Amino acid sequence: ALAPRARITWTFADATLEPALRALGRRDQDAPLSSHVTALATDVEPPAVDGVEVRRIETFGEFRVALEVAIAGWAFVSEEAERQRSEAPETWARHRSRPGGDWGAYLDGRLVAYGGAIAGPAGLFLTGGVTAPDARGRGAYRALVRARWDEAVRLGTPALAVHAEEASRRVLEAIGFERACEIVELVSDSFGEPD
């Protein structure tokens, strides 16, 4: 009801399932996302990052700014960017209703990176980590990881897990994450498809 145009994502670690799912009409994620990702996890405290302020996103206005960072960082084409903007109120409502949260990283007072998390019984699952292109290489992404670690500790579940594409995987492994497995994520265009 909250996401009437949502798609189903089929996530699996057994690569032998991929041809069968593709034969049933499942397809790759829309660009710029990749369907082949790495699952990583850590129960080791990531390093702190100096010079980057991270704050929890508390208002819809802050979320809209974070959404613009995501649109630029993921290089969404104009059609997808407009869809993201038009669905922002519903997306914000979903984020507010799930356990976890959203955070923004600021450099010189400007929100330059965004990341979310979903809280689970054993830790946080990291979602949506992205940095504006002109702010990359300055520690904003790593600072978001650390802020979400601090939240996991606050919740009494000091562990983080994530599905990462190649660029993020390299950063995460450098700060202590370990590979759990390779994953394929295919999509179906609607909830109404027969299996």
Side-chain angles (χ1 to χ4, degrees):
L2 290 173
R5 293 181 299 278
R7 295 174 295 198
I8 296 173
T9 302
W10 301 80
T11 303
F12 51 94
D14 179 356
T16 63
L17 295 174
E18 186 174 359
L21 285 170
R22 287 186 184 280
L24 292 170
R26 281 36 174 189
R27 61 179 176 75
D28 286 330
Q29 300 263 30
D30 295 329
L33 299 177
S34 169
S35 281
H36 294 267
V37 296
T38 304
L40 301 116
T42 188
D43 60 1
V44 176
E45 180 179 350
V49 179
D50 292 329
V52 180
E53 177 188 4
V54 178
R55 298 191 306 254
R56 196 170 185 125
I57 293 174
E58 300 287 354
T59 69
F60 180 63
E62 291 170 333
F63 179 73
R64 288 192 71 98
V65 174
L67 179 61
E68 292 303 319
V69 167
I71 288 169
W74 286 321
F76 282 133
V77 295
S78 60
E79 181 180 302
E80 177 62 16
E82 288 311 311
R83 186 181 72 78
Q84 292 284 331
R85 290 178 183 116
S86 71
E87 294 178 3
E90 294 85 5
T91 303
W92 176 241
R94 277 195 320 276
H95 285 215
R96 297 298 287 178
S97 69
R98 71 184 186 194
D102 295 284
W103 287 262
Y106 296 78
L107 290 171
D108 303 320
R110 177 179 152 235
L111 194 149
V112 298
Y114 161 71
I118 300 170
L124 292 183
F125 179 75
L126 307 184
T127 65
V130 62
T131 303
D134 66 334
R136 291 182 179 150
R138 298 177 60 193
Y141 181 88
R142 290 180 290 114
L144 285 172
V145 172
R146 175 55 191 254
R148 291 176 287 177
W149 169 266
D150 292 342
E151 177 68 2
V153 169
R154 186 188 74 76
L155 293 172
T157 56
L160 302 175
V162 64
H163 294 172
E165 294 188 8
E166 188 60 22
S168 297
R169 181 196 59 77
R170 291 191 309 266
V171 173
L172 293 165
E173 285 182 332
I175 61 173
F177 280 71
E178 294 183 13
R179 290 183 192 209
C181 65
E182 300 301 314
I183 291 179
V184 180
E185 294 182 334
L186 302 178
V187 295
S188 297
D189 285 324
S190 72
F191 285 110
E193 284 186 26
D195 285 325

